[in-house]
Amino acid sequence: MLVETGPLIMHQLARAGLDAGAIEHLFVSHGHGDHTLGFPMLALNRRPAPTPLHVYTGRSAAATLQVLCRVSYAGLAMDEQVDIVWHALREEQSHTLPLTPQVTLRTATMPHPPGVPTLAARWDFVGGPSITFVTDTFFNEAAIALAQGSDLLIHEASYSAVLQPEQDPGVNHHSNARQAGQVARRAGCRRLALVHLGAEIGDHPDVLAEEARGDSALAVIVPDDGARVRLGESA
Ligand SMILES: [Zn+2]
């Protein structure tokens, strides 16, 4: 399952050695451009699609994705060749959706800017790991509840409390690396991956990892695009 379709998605898939046609499930957290603008390119490059593309997202983000398709390539979202199955979720409630007999998707609403509903997601594999993804929100209890006991928490760090002590990330509905670490520890997650790094802090992965870890034993990584993480092994 692909998570988010930012502007660089085709480049990122290529770097990861993935073909657009290999993507059968997509989760999009919210409608902002850094999470959606690559969607028309993904849809276009799936033609002719061997299998449908199942898109799991909130209702308003689904509308944004459909508008992007219409303005980019008229009718693409409705095109039979693209074969998109929309799972447009009511944003004001949590959802539990079986993706396959082995994988369950859960979503929860995160605090978000007015008019931009934002969902966090969790995947539970039967007899296997669980992964939670939280982005574009500030430190909050709903994120901790969703992530409870996850093997891997993938959490945004738009800011750094160490590098930008004057910044209050919550003002912009974002988090810093320290808060991402607090969510991971409060939720009892085994491992934390910091993503969605702000432009001013992305060159300092070691600082961010240490900031998130604090004085705990939490395993923190700052992965590059396409990095592969083996769950079930120690960091
Ligand atoms: Zn964002």
Side-chain angles (χ1 to χ4, degrees):
M1 191 168 197
L2 179 67
V3 176
E4 315 284 36
T5 46
L8 299 178
I9 190 58
M10 294 313 301
H11 177 69
Q12 291 167 314
L13 288 176
R15 278 187 60 183
L18 289 169
D19 190 78
I23 306 300
E24 297 180 337
H25 296 85
L26 168 68
F27 171 78
V28 175
S29 62
H30 66 298
H32 277 162
D34 53 326
H35 302 254
T36 58
L37 285 175
F39 182 73
M41 300 311 303
L42 176 73
L44 186 75
N45 281 281
R46 292 187 88 257
R47 300 171 68 177
T51 53
L53 174 62
H54 290 265
V55 180
Y56 296 83
T57 189
R59 286 182 173 182
S60 73
T64 298
L65 294 170
Q66 290 164 6
V67 166
L68 287 172
C69 284
R70 274 203 296 279
V71 299
S72 304
Y73 304 100
L76 187 61
M78 291 63 189
D79 190 329
E80 285 179 3
Q81 287 188 58
V82 176
D83 196 5
I84 301 171
V85 181
W86 295 97
H87 302 266
L89 308 175
R90 293 168 60 99
E91 290 109 340
E92 56 275 21
Q93 66 187 71
S94 301
H95 296 270
T96 300
L97 305 159
L99 294 180
T100 74
Q102 287 80 37
V103 186
T104 301
L105 169 67
R106 288 162 59 189
T107 65
T109 308
M110 295 292 108
H112 55 81
V116 191
T118 300
L119 302 180
R122 172 179 176 135
W123 295 263
D124 285 293
F125 293 75
V126 171
S130 59
I131 301 166
T132 299
F133 173 66
V134 176
T135 195
D136 290 64
T137 191
F138 49 65
F139 180 86
N140 72 89
E141 296 294 329
I144 294 167
L146 183 70
Q148 204 59 232
S150 277
D151 295 278
L152 173 67
L153 171 63
I154 303 170
H155 198 293
E156 75 136 281
S158 295
Y159 295 93
S160 163
V162 171
L163 299 169
Q164 301 162 303
E166 76 291 351
Q167 286 277 6
D168 176 4
V171 171
N172 298 317
H173 287 83
H174 281 294
S175 308
N176 59 36
R178 179 174 293 162
Q179 292 166 326
Q182 288 168 347
V183 173
R185 285 194 295 278
R186 287 270 311 277
C189 300
R190 291 187 53 216
R191 193 182 302 197
L192 170 66
L194 298 175
V195 298
H196 199 291
L197 309 180
E200 293 167 33
I201 63 172
D203 291 339
H204 306 280
D206 295 344
V207 175
L208 300 178
E210 187 179 337
E211 174 180 325
R213 191 161 45 239
D215 54 9
S216 74
L218 179 67
V220 183
I221 57 173
V222 186
D224 290 325
D225 285 348
R228 287 162 195 259
V229 177
R230 288 184 190 278
L231 297 174
E233 296 177 356
S234 56

